[in-house]
Amino acid sequence: MNSWDAGLAGLLVGTMGVSLLSNALVLLCLLHSADIRRQAPALFTLNLTCGNLLCTVLNMPLTLAGVVAQRQPAGDRLCRLAAFLDTFLATNSMLSMAALSIDRWVAVVFPLSYRAKMRLRDAALMVAYTWLHALAFPAAALALSWLGFHQLYASCTLCSRRPDERLRFAVFTGAFHALSFLLSFVVLCCTYLKVLKVARFHCKRIDVITMQTLVLLVDIHPSVRERCLEEQKRRRQRATKKISTFIGTFLVCFAPYVITRLVELSSSVPIGSHWGVLSKCLAYSKAASDPFVYSLLRHQYRKSCKEILNRILHRRSLRSSGLTGDSHSQNILPVSE
């Protein structure tokens, strides 16, 4: 194993560790906080988190073994199962992000009717559609025997070894990425750009009120005026940064792998094996970044994490104080006798 392979293996191990810990923490927050569970986005987050954990536990270790061994890491049946899960979980992840963006769009554009439009039942129906959509392509690939170990990506995924099926497999691959990656990307762009438009409109209204207030307050201290103007600038940038993060992480993680899969269909363009594995690692890194992008950096999840940490520390302090009290009583008893 050369330095490139060692670096890719290290990247996979790091991604597995971060993904496992962060997604497990999101599940703990969902179990701990009833307020989070009452909201419709909790179902989308739960679906996304469980999919990320399955990918971390099942698919990433097999890819790591494929990188290290430079060959198929398991038997044909297990590899086909892993390829089925790889295709299903990737599509489910993309569609879950699209569902979260639709939820944000409804919450921002229709704030007064949000609870009526986005109930838990509606969220459950969206998750059910996500599963059916995500199952369709791996089921078709399984029926056509297009699941197995792909040497270019050192992983069990979509592949076809028969030259006479090249055209059919190319059409299937193009349709799969169009109805998973491209569809989710279009939904993300449409919904979040609409959210950004509404956020900027509200920012302009707040800015007008702020400027009118500053004009009326003649005796206001210059430092207070500067702080108001700085907050005004940060307010304008906040929504842009969040939406750029949502769309940017989606593109950075998934686009290299999808483009590589499409370019691979053309035999005239050679693709290096290291780039193939790297693009696969970038796709896996979405599982590690999702908990931070969609959950752990939000106020409710931070609050839940603090409560969980405080409860753990409180139990430890009670145990330590109990042990200290027991040892103290044992030391006093012989003296009293």
Side-chain angles (χ1 to χ4, degrees), residues 182-241:
L182 185 60
L183 175 64
S184 301
F185 179 64
V186 170
V187 172
L188 284 171
C189 289
C190 292
T191 52
Y192 281 132
L193 289 178
K194 185 64 176 179
V195 168
L196 182 61
K197 183 180 178 180
V198 174
R200 285 180 173 175
F201 173 74
H202 288 304
C203 284
K204 285 181 181 179
R205 293 180 60 186
I206 296 171
D207 292 346
V208 170
I209 296 172
T210 303
M211 294 306 297
Q212 290 175 349
T213 306
L214 291 176
V215 170
L216 292 173
L217 297 175
V218 181
D219 298 331
I220 192 171
H221 195 274
S223 62
V224 178
R225 185 186 297 271
E226 288 179 4
R227 283 200 299 271
C228 290
L229 294 174
E230 288 177 1
E231 178 60 28
Q232 183 179 347
K233 183 179 179 181
R234 283 197 297 268
R235 194 185 302 116
R236 287 197 299 266
Q237 294 175 346
R238 196 175 298 135
T240 305
K241 286 181 179 178

Side-chain angles (χ1 to χ4, degrees), residues 3-25:
S3 58
W4 262 101
D5 294 330
L8 291 171
L11 180 61
L12 267 171
V13 170
T15 303
M16 288 168 57
V18 175
S19 177
L20 189 63
L21 292 175
S22 56
N23 283 287
L25 186 56

Side-chain angles (χ1 to χ4, degrees), residues 6-322:
L8 291 171
L11 180 61
L12 267 171
V13 170
T15 303
M16 288 168 57
V18 175
S19 177
L20 189 63
L21 292 175
S22 56
N23 283 287
L25 186 56
V26 172
L27 277 184
L28 283 176
C29 291
L30 287 169
L31 291 172
H32 176 265
S33 176
D35 292 334
I36 296 176
R37 291 197 304 273
R38 288 194 201 100
Q39 300 172 0
L43 279 179
F44 305 137
T45 305
L46 179 64
N47 184 39
L48 182 63
T49 303
C50 291
N52 289 337
L53 282 173
L54 279 174
C55 180
T56 304
V57 173
L58 299 175
N59 291 100
M60 292 189 197
L62 285 176
T63 302
L64 177 63
V67 171
V68 174
Q70 296 292 311
R71 57 182 175 83
Q72 183 171 318
D76 290 338
R77 288 187 178 180
L78 181 58
C79 196
R80 281 196 296 270
L81 175 62
F84 185 95
L85 284 173
D86 180 75
T87 309
F88 166 73
L89 293 175
T91 309
N92 180 60
S93 176
M94 295 178 191
L95 295 175
S96 296
M97 291 172 224
L100 283 166
S101 71
I102 293 173
D103 174 77
R104 286 298 87 202
W105 172 69
V106 174
V108 172
V109 179
F110 309 102
L112 299 179
S113 58
Y114 170 73
R115 291 186 180 275
K117 291 179 180 293
M118 191 60 72
R119 295 165 294 181
L120 284 173
R121 185 183 66 183
D122 301 321
L125 288 174
M126 292 178 69
V127 171
Y129 169 76
T130 297
W131 275 60
L132 290 174
H133 188 132
L135 280 169
F137 282 98
L142 181 63
L144 295 168
S145 300
W146 286 345
L147 297 175
F149 180 74
H150 201 308
Q151 188 66 47
L152 178 63
Y153 307 101
S155 61
C156 298
T157 183
L158 285 175
C159 66
S160 175
R161 296 184 178 89
R162 295 176 59 181
D164 58 327
E165 294 181 338
R166 186 176 187 84
L167 181 59
R168 283 201 304 160
F169 182 72
V171 173
F172 178 86
T173 304
F176 166 63
H177 290 301
L179 293 174
S180 56
F181 172 78
L182 185 60
L183 175 64
S184 301
F185 179 64
V186 170
V187 172
L188 284 171
C189 289
C190 292
T191 52
Y192 281 132
L193 289 178
K194 185 64 176 179
V195 168
L196 182 61
K197 183 180 178 180
V198 174
R200 285 180 173 175
F201 173 74
H202 288 304
C203 284
K204 285 181 181 179
R205 293 180 60 186
I206 296 171
D207 292 346
V208 170
I209 296 172
T210 303
M211 294 306 297
Q212 290 175 349
T213 306
L214 291 176
V215 170
L216 292 173
L217 297 175
V218 181
D219 298 331
I220 192 171
H221 195 274
S223 62
V224 178
R225 185 186 297 271
E226 288 179 4
R227 283 200 299 271
C228 290
L229 294 174
E230 288 177 1
E231 178 60 28
Q232 183 179 347
K233 183 179 179 181
R234 283 197 297 268
R235 194 185 302 116
R236 287 197 299 266
Q237 294 175 346
R238 196 175 298 135
T240 305
K241 286 181 179 178
K242 286 183 178 180
I243 290 170
S244 299
T245 302
F246 293 146
I247 299 176
T249 53
F250 182 86
L251 278 178
V252 169
C253 294
F254 286 125
Y257 177 69
V258 172
I259 293 172
T260 305
R261 292 300 312 235
L262 296 176
V263 171
E264 179 200 349
L265 299 175
S266 172
S267 58
S268 59
V269 181
I271 300 173
S273 59
H274 293 136
W275 170 252
V277 177
L278 180 60
S279 66
K280 191 65 177 175
C281 291
L282 286 174
Y284 283 149
S285 68
K286 196 71 176 71
S289 64
D290 282 343
F292 301 99
V293 173
Y294 292 100
S295 304
L296 296 178
L297 297 180
R298 292 177 57 195
H299 172 72
Q300 284 183 313
Y301 284 87
R302 292 204 307 268
K303 180 182 176 182
S304 182
C305 288
K306 288 179 182 178
E307 290 175 356
I308 293 171
L309 183 61
N310 289 334
R311 181 175 293 184
I312 293 172
L313 293 176
H314 181 65
R315 286 180 178 176
R316 286 185 177 180
S317 63
L318 286 177
R319 287 178 182 177
S320 61
S321 61

